[in-house]
Amino acid sequence: MATRFLILLLLLVSPALAQAPRETLNIGITQYPSTLHPNIENMVAKSYTLGFTRRPVTAYDATWQLICLLCETLPTLENGLAVRETTPDGKPGLRVTWRLREGLRWGDGTPITTEDLRLTYDAGRDGSTGIGPAEFFRSAYEFIAEDARSFTLRFDRVTFEFASLGDFAPLPAHLERTRWESEPRSYRTRTLYDTEPTNPGLWNGPYRIVQVQAGASITLERNAHWSGPAPAFRRIVIRTVESTPALEAQLLAGQVDMIAGELGLPVEQASALIRRTGSRFRAEYRPGLIYEHLDLNLDMPALRDRRVRQALLLALDRAQIVARLFEGRQTVANTTVNTLDWPHDPNVRAWPHDPRQAAALLEEAGWRLAGTADGIRRNAEGQRLSFELLTTAGNRSREAVQQVIQAQWRQIGAEARIRNEPPRVLFGETLSRRRFQGAAMFAWVSAPESVPRSSLHSSEIPNAERNWSGQNYTGFRHAEMDALLEALPQELDREKRRILWHRLQAIYAEELPSLPLWFRQDAHLWPAWLDGVRPTGHLNPSSLWVEEWRQR
């Protein structure tokens, strides 16, 4: 009788009460960071991972509003924390002050002070270090530590985005300054973030890194010196599974509890999984500022010709690819500016699917099909219209897109040779050092109204002298585009800025330094028992608010 009563009691207890609190959360992503240093190289895998372990001074939240994370108050002209002034050389400038919140500490208990921000500033101002964004550090011509918590930056221009510090965040001076000062040029290979990433003093977020299995996983545990709300899980394990089918299999087998939408399953794969598994998982499909495109190496003679680039885009039936491979969930792109962002120009030039016009442009550019036995065009010197097509290895969605692109380019007489690489190689070496010989398919993730200087300005082309900083991987050089990228941040009037944005998009759509594909929608997959995850749809990942995640 007692046994029967116990069984009945257990059946009456709600699942939420019956389920013991989980100590560990296992998260699956498809890429592994090429570095863990906050300021060296940009990669979504790094941003997502470091969202758990560190905090920037400012960030955009899930509503796309700029907020303070490490600071007390956003500076404005109205509250006096931003003040117009004249620079020493007589130009209009700006003096902006931020104050750090009280009680901030590194994971080893060392207080976070303005000396940590001074290190970031000094390293960024030294071009040999290879820290970006270069234009930020060039424009911020003076750093002033007002006291241990307040710091001021003096800028040589007035910009609409002055309150946002982006990636300018503290580096632990008590650990990294001597390492940087001893040899700035080699610092990127000697930083403790990569040689000793489990050092607790590197981290200031709710979690710190306690174990690293290179290429496979990163294990985090609660940071005892975190001063914010305590996170729900004692441990988080971020597992990298570069194959999306294998990642799905691990989710179904319980080896991972959730798949981060920032680097997870393609929307069509996630949608099919949800249909099969019912209420076991929760899905949120979040459109965002995620620009899937093909970067072209414009140093290659064939791709330097604008007519060839236009022909390659005309050959692609992007609407059909979206409909068949992505269930119509992606928005075809015409430029780098997202349709969700207010500067988007709905009247910018759109390139339809037109293989006949593509063929005519290639003929005009001197790439002839007549007389070729293999169906690949040749120029007057007999060179074939052939180049590489790269993307991130293991991403089933991108690999399927590659096959379609290869076939559609073949139809106009262009050969795409598929060669894929692990993400940490593609982003850490091939793209950053401009070693790709053709086209590379990947995505840029941006913040709201983010001026694309790093990827389009001619001064941002990576080279050895700059220690390979900059993200203009295409090698695009265009004087008017440079002028627009310099003028845009300095225009405070929104409607005047809109005009500049529209001109930028017109040049981009005509010149096509990269071939626009679509603006991506991400699929975030969580277990039914997890609450509080807030996808942002932009550059700042959901992991920045991990302290809000809770078990049901």
Side-chain angles (χ1 to χ4, degrees), residues 29-52:
I29 61 175
T30 56
Q31 296 178 15
Y32 188 86
S34 58
T35 176
L36 291 173
H37 192 288
N39 302 99
I40 296 174
E41 296 176 7
N42 288 310
M43 193 174 173
V44 176
K46 182 183 76 171
S47 297
Y48 184 78
T49 301
L50 298 194
F52 297 101

Side-chain angles (χ1 to χ4, degrees), residues 264-372:
L265 302 183
V267 289
E268 75 287 353
Q269 187 178 349
S271 178
L273 183 146
I274 291 296
R275 287 195 295 268
R276 294 196 313 271
T277 58
S279 60
R280 180 179 170 188
F281 302 104
R282 299 161 59 202
E284 180 173 328
Y285 303 98
R286 178 70 186 252
L289 304 179
I290 309 161
Y291 173 51
E292 192 81 11
H293 65 286
L294 290 159
D295 257 14
L296 305 175
N297 189 335
L298 304 187
D299 289 348
M300 297 182 66
L303 299 177
R304 192 179 303 145
D305 191 324
R306 182 176 64 188
R307 294 167 297 184
V308 173
R309 303 196 296 271
Q310 293 172 346
L312 293 175
L313 188 57
L314 284 165
L316 300 181
D317 192 344
R318 293 170 293 162
Q320 183 187 63
I321 294 173
V322 166
R324 293 190 175 183
L325 295 185
F326 301 106
E327 300 181 348
R329 292 179 182 270
Q330 319 291 29
T331 301
V332 172
N334 295 316
T335 74
T336 184
V337 180
N338 197 296
T339 55
L340 298 173
D341 213 356
W342 76 265
H344 170 70
D345 182 1
N347 300 313
V348 73
R349 179 171 187 173
W351 294 89
H353 175 53
D354 191 339
R356 182 172 297 182
Q357 186 184 354
L361 280 171
L362 291 178
E363 289 286 335
E364 181 185 318
W367 294 96
R368 313 294 185 194
L369 194 56
T372 61

Side-chain angles (χ1 to χ4, degrees), residues 29 53 57 99 199 205 240 262 299 316 406 410 481 516 551:
I29 61 175
T53 61
V57 179
R99 184 165 177 80
N199 188 318
T240 298
E262 288 88 346
D299 289 348
L316 300 181
Q406 183 185 52
R410 178 88 187 190
M481 179 66 84
Q551 183 179 337

